[in-house]
Amino acid sequence: MNTRIRITTGILALGVGGAVVLSGCATGDDAASNGDAEKGTITIGYLPAWTDSLSNTFLLQDQLEKLGYTVELETLTEAGPLYTGLAEGDIDIYPSAWIDVAQASYWERFEGDLEDLGEYYSEASGLLAVPSYVDLDSIADLKGQGERFGNKIYTIEPGSGAATYAQESLLPAYGLDEEYELVTSSTPAMLTVLQDAIEKKEDVVVTLWRPYWVNDVFDIKELEDTEDGYGEPEGLHYIAHKGFTEEFPEAADLIGQITLDDEQYGSLENLVVNEYGPDKEPEAIDAWLEQHADQLDWAVVE
C-alpha cells in the first residue's frame, strides 16, 4: 500500500489514566436554534480513539440537538471510567457499547444502574489480522511462528474489549498465550505500528474488529478463527444511566429506533474519520445524512 493513511494521534496526549476531559458542548443558542432549549442537557461520554464510539457520538449529537436538547460531550480514554461515569449519572449516554461479549464484564458489573436503549448494529466481532503478504491464513497458523512476529500481538487500550477478550479468551483458545505477548497501547499507536510494518513489508499481527473502516482501507487479511475463539457476533448498543428514558423520553424513543447496516455504518465511519477528520465531525454527519437519510429505517430529525 503506497498511500499513507492519516491516523489521528492527538488523543495520545490524553494519557491512560481514565480521567474525564470535557471535549465540547452545544451552547444554549445553538440548541435553541434547533428547538426548545429547555428540554434539558444530555451528556454523551465516548472514547475518541474508538471510531465506532466517535462516529455515533456525533450522529447522536446532531439528532438530539435537532430535537431541542443541549448536548455536552465528554471524552475518556478507557472503558472502565466511562461505565463508572454512566452508573453514577455523571454521563447520560454511551453511544456504542459492546455489552454482549467484549464489554460484558462491565455490563454485568453495572447493569443495575444502566439502561439498554437499543441495538444499532448486530454483526460486530473481534478479529486478528496480518498484512496481506503474510503467508498465514488462520489464527491457528500463528502457533510456532512467534519469532517472526517478535513474539508480539499488538492491540489497543488496556481494558478495551479487543484487549481483554484477546488476552482472556482468544489466545488461550489457540495456546498462543505463552508464545506471544499482547502489547497494549492505544488505537492510533497500534495502527501506526500496522501501517509502518506494511510499508516496510514486515510481519505483524494486530487485533482489529468489525465493523471498522481499517478493514477496507489497509492492505490486510483477517485470520480465520477456526476454534471460534471470538465466539458469535455481537450487537452494538446505545446505553444510558438508569432513569434516562423517564427523564428524556423523546430522546430515548429516537435513539431506540436507530439501526445501521454494513454499508451505512461503513460510510458513516469513513466520512467522520477519514474524509473530514478531527474538528469537522458535524460536517461529516451533515454529508452522511444528505447521502443516506432517505435510506434509513428510522425517523431522521431534519
Side-chain angles (χ1 to χ4, degrees):
M1 182 178 69
N2 296 321
T3 303
R4 184 80 179 180
I5 306 300
R6 182 181 69 245
I7 299 171
T8 303
T9 57
I11 57 174
L12 292 175
L14 294 175
V16 295
V20 177
V21 182
L22 184 62
S23 173
C25 62
T27 66
D29 290 342
D30 292 336
S33 67
N34 291 314
D36 181 1
E38 296 183 357
K39 284 188 175 180
T41 299
I42 295 175
T43 301
I44 302 175
Y46 72 108
L47 286 76
W50 298 359
T51 51
D52 59 311
S53 173
L54 174 72
S55 55
N56 275 277
T57 289
F58 285 94
L59 175 61
L60 286 192
Q61 181 187 38
D62 175 272
Q63 292 293 282
L64 292 175
E65 286 184 346
K66 287 174 179 174
L67 277 181
Y69 296 96
T70 297
V71 177
E72 295 184 349
L73 306 182
E74 291 195 4
T75 62
L76 298 94
T77 58
E78 295 182 22
L82 176 51
Y83 275 89
T84 300
L86 276 169
E88 294 178 351
D90 297 324
I91 295 169
D92 294 310
I93 301 172
Y94 173 28
S96 190
W98 299 56
I99 60 175
D100 297 335
V101 179
Q103 296 169 7
S105 61
Y106 292 114
W107 179 253
E108 291 167 2
R109 177 181 175 187
F110 295 109
E111 183 177 3
D113 297 312
L114 303 177
E115 290 184 14
D116 181 1
L117 301 180
E119 177 186 276
Y120 75 86
Y121 181 85
S122 61
E123 294 296 320
S125 66
L127 59 96
L128 286 187
V130 295
S132 61
Y133 51 78
V134 173
D135 58 345
L136 303 179
D137 297 310
S138 73
I139 298 174
D141 292 338
L142 291 171
K143 187 76 171 178
Q145 298 290 319
E147 187 174 349
R148 66 184 288 191
F149 293 98
N151 300 102
K152 293 179 177 10
I153 294 174
Y154 292 90
T155 189
I156 59 173
E157 290 79 4
S160 66
T164 301
Y165 208 71
Q167 186 72 62
E168 296 181 357
S169 179
L170 184 68
L171 299 189
Y174 288 90
L176 300 176
D177 44 335
E178 295 183 2
E179 184 177 357
Y180 290 85
E181 173 192 1
L182 190 68
V183 181
T184 58
S185 55
S186 69
T187 304
M190 183 198 69
L191 293 182
T192 297
V193 169
L194 174 61
Q195 184 164 349
D196 287 346
I198 290 173
E199 291 179 348
K200 297 173 183 176
K201 295 292 184 184
E202 296 176 345
D203 292 337
V204 68
V205 58
V206 298
T207 65
L208 293 176
W209 52 92
R210 185 187 303 107
Y212 195 25
W213 64 270
V214 168
N215 303 318
D216 298 320
V217 175
F218 278 66
D219 186 18
I220 59 173
K221 64 179 174 181
E222 176 182 352
L223 295 177
E224 184 181 1
D225 184 7
T226 56
E227 299 298 320
D228 200 25
Y230 268 117
E232 294 297 318
E234 64 175 307
L236 301 184
H237 300 250
Y238 298 119
I239 62 174
H241 65 74
K242 190 173 183 178
F244 178 89
T245 298
E246 182 178 356
E247 185 176 359
F248 303 108
E250 190 176 2
D253 180 64
L254 169 68
I255 293 168
Q257 297 178 41
I258 297 175
T259 58
L260 299 173
D261 62 25
D262 284 309
E263 192 279 329
Q264 293 161 357
Y265 177 91
S267 173
L268 173 66
E269 193 173 68
N270 187 55
L271 283 167
V272 171
V273 176
N274 293 317
E275 294 195 27
Y276 284 81
D279 301 322
K280 295 183 179 179
E281 293 91 352
E283 292 95 324
I285 297 300
D286 289 341
W288 184 79
L289 288 171
E290 183 176 351
Q291 294 174 16
H292 294 278
D294 61 348
Q295 306 164 12
L296 301 172
D297 295 329
W298 44 281
V300 175
V301 186
E302 301 290 347

